[in-house]
Amino acid sequence: MYKLYIKNKGPDFFIRSCPFFRKQFRLTALFLAVFLAASCGFADLRPVPYTTVPERAYGVLYGSYAPVLVRFGTEMVQSEAEKLISISFREGPVSGDLGWDGNTLYFTPRSPWSAGLQYTLSLNGNAFAKDGRELRVSSYMPFYAEKTGALPFLRSFSPGDGISVGVNPEEGALLVLEFSESMDRKSTEYAFTWDCPGDKDVLWYNDDRSLELRPKEKLNPWTAYHWSISTRAKSRDGIPLAGKYEGTFITNRDTLIPAVERCFPLAASGPAWVETGGNIGDGLGSGGAIGVGFTKAMNRESMLRSLRFEPGLAGRTEQLDDRTIVFIPEQEWARETVYTLTVSRDTQDLSGLKLGEDHRVFFTPDLPYLDLRFIAIDTYAPFTGADLADGNCLRVSLSDPLVLRLTLGFSLNLSGAAITAAFSRISLTPFFPPNLPAIALRSASLESEDALSLEWEGLAGGAGHYYRLFIPGGKGGIHNGGGAFFREDRCIYIEVLP
């Protein structure tokens, strides 16, 4: 008795080794083929060929509006084929219009291609030919327009990002851009933005690789200024900038806030003004001016507009040096008046920094009134002090009872027309008894710069004969020629003894 062992044999072993199985397998396969052919028809598995323009990766498409082409090897269902194509570049998708020419699909950009810039043609998805064949595609092809080459870029810029500068170009407030290639001036300037106020001088040099922008006006202090340049900037060959660049600098190099250092009195010395050595509270005399000194060099125009007075006072302001101004009044200071001097908070230094707060000074001008120092009568010793009080009576006996000689000494020098006015306005008149005869001024002369001599005739001597010496005061009274006057009228009586 024999046993047959079949080990590690698959189904095909039985089909090959057994005639019965071979016959049954052929019949079954034929039946299935007939069944499939009858029920489904034959499938066309041939691929749908296509080509593109540009033809290869990193190829060049010539022409600013040259279309990208996709040529199909058979007629396509157009609406589905159009969904396959898209074109992009570094800033996003490219906008364009699709059209057909036979079996060729073309894409025309709505804006011109940028020379030297890399684009990507993408074909992705499924589409069907009209004969039923299916095209499945996933393809990415980079290409250039017009030309290939390295994109220009910004090598460096000054001031650096976040750097502190001054407010003037000489202090760093100008912008310098250094490019890797010679640039097209028009497109580069158009692509540049800077929030700098006012006009700017634009200077190109180094074969248009260097661009300098210089503001014509001083920049604001302690301000951040931002600039940027976009990819609209192109090289001289028409290739756009490699990317957007931007930066910021700050005008905060000067950190010292200006302040008023002192206010002080000045006196005229010829054409110049000199300090009196006093302070504004007690050293501002007649005809004096006020100086204002700052802690640092100031803007001239700002300094000259910085002062105001209350009560108002007409005058002019002049610059003594870059830190000092002087206010010169057009009229005399008012006596016994408290003035307020205000230096405006908007006063600026050379960098444009402001005081920030109004600076106020209160002062009263030290202006003496005109007064009597003495009265000399005939051969008597001069009367002074309390003898000259208003309403007092001086008793004298005259060597010539018909003539009274007076010398009036003043506290300040008299000058110019003030001397003539004093002669005409100082009077001596009979007072008591009422029947005293009238008297007349016989002579008047300037004894010295601060003393006048006057001589009256026609007096009558006798017990109880009184004469009234009157000196008008106030602003309408006697002046010294420098603005000083008597505080009030002065009336002194003279008794002429027998």
Side-chain angles (χ1 to χ4, degrees):
M1 181 176 181
Y2 297 95
K3 293 183 180 180
L4 176 65
Y5 292 91
I6 302 176
K7 188 177 181 181
N8 296 328
K9 305 294 182 177
D12 56 336
F13 171 79
F14 295 99
I15 296 173
R16 292 193 305 268
S17 60
C18 182
F20 174 78
F21 284 111
R22 284 201 303 271
K23 182 178 181 181
Q24 292 299 321
F25 178 78
R26 290 178 185 144
L27 291 175
T28 302
L30 179 61
F31 172 78
L32 289 174
V34 172
F35 174 78
L36 290 174
S39 60
C40 298
F42 290 100
D44 191 346
L45 301 180
R46 291 174 301 160
V48 177
Y50 70 91
T51 60
T52 63
V53 176
E55 298 176 352
R56 63 184 182 278
Y58 303 105
V60 179
L61 189 67
Y62 295 100
S64 298
Y65 288 92
V68 172
L69 305 181
V70 181
R71 295 190 177 100
F72 297 98
T74 186
E75 190 174 1
M76 301 295 292
V77 178
Q78 294 183 353
S79 61
E80 293 185 359
E82 291 173 359
K83 296 177 182 179
L84 299 176
I85 187 171
S86 64
I87 298 176
S88 61
F89 70 131
R90 63 187 179 185
E91 295 183 5
V94 177
S95 177
D97 298 312
L98 297 174
W100 289 87
D101 182 9
N103 295 337
T104 301
L105 172 63
Y106 56 90
F107 175 98
T108 305
R110 292 174 184 169
S111 298
W113 303 111
S114 294
L117 193 63
Q118 181 176 305
Y119 295 87
T120 300
L121 167 61
S122 300
L123 295 174
N124 277 292
N126 299 346
F128 287 91
K130 289 188 175 181
D131 61 10
R133 284 181 291 168
E134 182 181 10
L135 172 64
R136 295 183 180 182
V137 62
S138 179
S139 171
Y140 300 90
M141 179 185 291
F143 68 94
Y144 293 93
E146 299 287 356
K147 63 185 70 176
T148 61
L151 300 180
F153 60 91
L154 189 63
R155 288 187 180 275
S156 64
F157 56 87
S158 175
D161 196 29
I163 294 297
S164 296
V165 301
V167 296
N168 297 305
E170 295 75 15
E171 301 171 320
L174 76 165
L175 188 62
V176 180
L177 307 179
E178 301 285 348
F179 297 95
S180 62
E181 304 289 341
S182 299
M183 300 299 290
D184 173 67
R185 294 186 178 187
K186 185 176 181 180
S187 66
T188 304
E189 293 173 17
Y190 179 76
F192 180 82
T193 60
W194 186 13
D195 55 5
C196 167
D199 295 331
K200 308 169 191 65
D201 289 324
V202 180
L203 176 64
W204 286 93
Y205 54 93
N206 190 24
D207 193 26
D208 291 349
R209 287 182 173 88
S210 300
L211 170 61
E212 179 179 304
L213 298 108
R214 179 182 294 262
K216 292 185 177 181
E217 299 179 3
K218 181 174 62 178
L219 300 184
N220 296 321
W222 289 16
T223 302
Y225 288 95
H226 181 78
W227 62 268
S228 67
I229 185 167
S230 72
T231 55
R232 292 183 177 180
K234 296 182 179 181
S235 70
R236 190 181 291 171
D237 295 331
I239 301 176
L241 200 61
K244 179 181 179 181
Y245 299 88
E246 56 187 339
T248 301
F249 61 84
I250 308 170
T251 54
N252 62 349
R253 176 178 293 174
D254 187 356
T255 60
L256 179 62
I257 301 296
V260 176
E261 189 172 48
R262 61 190 185 121
C263 296
F264 53 95
L266 296 167
S269 177
W273 291 94
V274 295
E275 295 189 39
T276 64
N279 59 58
I280 196 173
D282 57 22
L284 183 61
S286 177
I290 292 180
V292 178
F294 297 88
T295 56
K296 59 189 300 192
M298 304 295 288
N299 176 275
R300 181 178 183 276
E301 295 302 322
S302 181
M303 274 202 302
L304 295 179
R305 298 193 304 267
S306 65
L307 306 183
R308 67 176 184 271
F309 290 87
E310 296 176 7
L313 188 67
R316 69 183 188 276
T317 305
E318 297 179 356
Q319 182 178 9
L320 294 183
D321 56 47
D322 60 0
R323 295 172 53 176
T324 311
I325 54 175
V326 55
F327 175 80
I328 306 166
E330 295 179 357
Q331 61 197 54
E332 185 58 89
W333 301 97
R335 284 166 170 76
E336 299 184 346
T337 300
V338 177
Y339 285 92
T340 302
L341 166 61
T342 301
V343 185
S344 172
R345 70 185 68 184
D346 294 324
T347 309
Q348 300 179 4
D349 65 11
L350 294 178
S351 296
L353 296 177
K354 299 179 181 180
L355 266 63
E357 295 182 354
D358 288 342
H359 180 89
R360 290 186 175 86
V361 176
F362 303 93
F363 66 95
T364 301
D366 184 20
L367 302 178
Y369 285 94
L370 188 61
D371 204 355
L372 282 174
R373 287 193 302 112
F374 67 86
I375 296 179
I377 302 177
D378 206 2
T379 59
Y380 283 84
F383 295 95
T384 61
D387 292 335
L388 304 181
D390 188 53
N392 196 34
C393 182
L394 307 180
R395 303 180 72 194
V396 296
S397 178
L398 304 178
S399 57
D400 184 349
L402 299 180
V403 178
L404 176 63
R405 296 179 182 87
L406 285 177
T407 299
L408 304 178
F410 297 94
S411 59
L412 299 171
N413 292 344
L414 305 181
S415 63
I419 299 173
T420 304
F423 287 147
S424 64
R425 303 197 65 186
I426 297 173
S427 63
L428 184 70
T429 57
F431 180 71
F432 186 84
N435 59 351
L436 287 176
I439 62 175
L441 180 65
R442 186 165 73 174
S443 66
S445 62
L446 181 66
E447 186 76 13
S448 64
E449 289 185 346
D450 60 354
L452 301 178
S453 291
L454 301 102
E455 188 175 280
W456 281 275
E457 61 182 0
L459 285 78
H465 288 188
Y466 295 90
Y467 294 86
R468 179 174 179 263
L469 176 65
F470 180 74
I471 302 174
K475 293 183 178 180
I478 300 299
H479 286 258
N480 75 330
F485 51 85
F486 279 84
R487 184 190 297 270
E488 55 190 11
D489 295 342
R490 184 69 64 83
C491 180
I492 296 175
Y493 298 93
I494 300 174
E495 181 183 2
V496 180
L497 301 175

